[in-house]
Amino acid sequence: MPNPEETPKTEAPQEAPQQPVEEQAAPATPAPQDAPAAPAGKPIHDNVISLHNVDIYQRKLMVLSQVSFDIKSGEFVYLVGKTGTGKSSILKTLIAEIKPKGESATMIGYDLLKMKTKHIPDLRKKIGMVFQDYQLLSDCTVIENLLFVLRATRWKDKQAMLNRCKEVLALVGLETKDFKLPSQLSGGEQQRVCIARALLNNPDVILADEPTGNLDPITAEEIFQIFHHINQTGTTILMATHNFTLINKFPSRTLLIEDGKILDSGV
């Protein structure tokens, strides 16, 4: 996924808010009449993610079958399983990069089974993505990386853009590093920038794909703490991870992929 401004790789710009997104009660532009219904602001549905008897394919090869789980608004859920079991495929399904087949599949009120290409950017604007490999623009400073994202999502007010960048950098403890290039940051600091980037448009859900995979144990724990703090503000988080040490230290509901099926801890 080459472009850091796009939380998922094919996101298209949307109409600009004239003030930080969290101050708005509804999206600036109403969804088209034939668009899947989606709630404004934070989700009003109990389940922000809902898959029921869904089959997931990669290049016509079935990766997972009869996938069923619900995630409620405000939950923190781990997604675990061996490499190649389908964790990333589930995340790609949730951002409409992979079209599933089956009984029902909804993400923040959008029907993933009937999703039209033209409506995918609207869905993705409500999702924050955090990856293992950062995907930062190497020749841009921290704040330039963030401003690039805001321009891509058509923010217009320069002062509002700067204010929002400062807000999200403060949330991840990088308010004094806004002038640094990625190469001047540690791995943990780069991941903090990625988390700040994911927060820019005040997403309903954050999907994190192995966000501590390249980090040392101490830094990885700091990143887990940031995610849990964000979750405490009401943001739903689904995190794919192999880090069972930190799962045990920060226990939460866990979905385990095993033998092509999903096992739910229910906790």
Side-chain angles (χ1 to χ4, degrees):
M1 298 186 182
N3 296 323
E5 73 273 15
E6 300 170 17
T7 298
K9 67 181 180 182
T10 59
E11 179 164 354
Q14 296 295 303
E15 186 172 350
Q18 297 303 308
Q19 56 185 335
V21 173
E22 71 272 20
E23 295 179 6
Q24 297 185 349
T29 304
Q33 292 300 312
D34 58 342
K42 294 297 182 185
I44 58 175
H45 298 291
D46 286 340
N47 295 324
V48 294
I49 301 173
S50 184
L51 303 181
H52 289 275
N53 296 321
V54 168
D55 297 333
I56 298 175
Y57 293 80
Q58 284 271 32
R59 298 178 182 176
K60 298 184 179 180
L61 177 66
M62 182 182 287
V63 178
L64 293 165
S65 65
Q66 301 297 295
V67 174
S68 295
F69 65 86
D70 296 313
I71 295 178
K72 296 183 180 300
S73 177
E75 277 198 276
F76 191 117
V77 180
Y78 296 115
L79 181 63
V80 301
K82 295 179 181 178
T83 300
T85 54
K87 298 188 300 297
S88 293
S89 294
I90 288 177
L91 298 184
K92 289 178 180 179
T93 298
L94 296 177
I95 62 173
E97 184 174 329
I98 295 175
K99 191 163 189 174
K101 298 180 181 179
E103 183 179 322
S104 65
T106 59
M107 177 68 172
I108 321 175
Y110 289 82
D111 189 337
L112 298 174
L113 300 180
K114 299 177 181 179
M115 176 70 68
K116 294 182 179 180
T117 302
K118 64 181 179 180
H119 299 145
I120 291 175
D122 189 52
L123 164 69
R124 291 180 177 175
K125 190 174 180 181
K126 303 175 187 297
I127 302 170
M129 286 292 300
V130 180
F131 304 98
Q132 179 176 341
D133 52 356
Y134 314 139
Q135 301 285 340
L136 295 170
L137 290 170
S138 61
D139 58 347
C140 293
T141 64
V142 167
I143 198 160
E144 287 171 345
N145 267 275
L146 300 185
L147 289 171
F148 195 91
V149 174
L150 293 181
R151 285 193 295 269
T153 50
R154 293 193 176 181
W155 285 54
K156 301 293 186 183
D157 188 315
K158 292 182 179 179
Q159 190 58 54
M161 293 164 68
L162 288 171
N163 290 344
R164 185 55 182 159
C165 289
K166 291 177 181 178
E167 288 171 1
V168 295
L169 287 174
L171 286 173
V172 299
L174 287 183
E175 55 267 49
T176 63
K177 301 290 180 77
D178 57 351
F179 63 96
K180 296 281 190 178
L181 292 169
S183 61
Q184 297 173 309
L185 302 175
S186 68
E189 288 172 333
Q190 290 185 64
Q191 191 59 288
R192 287 171 185 252
V193 176
C194 296
I195 296 170
R197 183 179 63 197
L199 290 170
L200 280 171
N201 283 309
N202 195 29
D204 296 325
V205 178
I206 289 181
L207 304 177
D209 195 358
E210 298 290 352
T212 62
N214 292 329
L215 305 177
D216 64 83
I218 294 176
T219 305
E221 182 171 338
E222 293 172 351
I223 295 300
F224 262 63
Q225 289 175 333
I226 290 173
F227 275 111
H228 278 272
H229 175 72
I230 292 168
N231 175 246
Q232 289 169 4
T233 68
T235 303
T236 308
I237 295 179
L238 175 61
M239 179 191 292
T241 181
H242 286 112
N243 199 326
F244 286 97
T245 299
L246 289 179
I247 289 176
N248 290 332
K249 188 162 187 176
F250 299 94
S252 193
R253 180 184 169 202
T254 300
L255 301 175
L256 169 64
I257 304 176
E258 191 172 72
D259 298 325
K261 303 294 183 182
I262 298 279
L263 304 177
D264 192 340
S265 72
V267 177

